[in-house]
Amino acid sequence: MTLEKPDREVSQEGARKPLSDKPGIQPYLEEDRWITMSHMYYWAQAFKELYPNEMEVYYESDDFVCYRVRQNEYSLYNFAIDYGYNGYDKMKKD
């Protein structure tokens, strides 16, 4: 078990794989980490497109990107958005 950066880069291939349903920290380890990171990246890109003035890169390095989301506490965003890899497109067809 390792928390090290996965060998693979964030990609559409990783985002197409289902997210882990393992408990605790397991989705952030080994192969599952690459998949989780891929999903998170494409979610962030879709959210930024929907709300370009509400999300910004707070910190970025070669290994890490931290986003900051600003929102009105009386009008919260629904973070469950369709980012292309979460099965919403399949649910719409059914």
Side-chain angles (χ1 to χ4, degrees):
M1 194 176 346
T2 180
L3 287 173
E4 292 178 16
K5 186 177 175 185
D7 293 334
R8 297 190 237 184
E9 297 293 320
V10 166
S11 68
Q12 290 180 346
E13 177 189 0
R16 283 187 194 105
K17 294 184 178 284
L19 283 165
S20 173
D21 59 358
K22 296 175 187 170
I25 196 168
Q26 296 300 314
Y28 306 101
L29 302 174
E30 299 169 348
E31 177 80 0
D32 289 331
R33 181 179 177 88
W34 166 63
I35 294 167
T36 300
M37 289 172 55
S38 294
H39 277 268
M40 292 171 73
Y41 173 81
Y42 288 103
W43 176 88
Q45 298 309 307
F47 189 87
K48 232 164 77 169
E49 191 173 311
L50 284 171
Y51 306 105
N53 298 323
E54 308 305 320
M55 185 170 166
E56 64 186 345
V57 174
Y58 181 75
Y59 173 82
E60 183 173 7
S61 71
D62 290 341
D63 299 319
F64 180 77
V65 178
C66 178
Y67 297 98
R68 177 169 56 184
V69 176
R70 297 174 191 240
Q71 63 178 332
N72 180 332
E73 63 187 82
Y74 299 105
S75 180
L76 300 176
Y77 295 115
N78 179 356
F79 290 110
I81 61 172
D82 182 4
Y83 59 97
Y85 299 99
N86 53 348
Y88 278 19
D89 55 340
K90 292 177 188 171
M91 289 189 292
K92 288 177 189 174
K93 292 177 185 174
D94 294 337

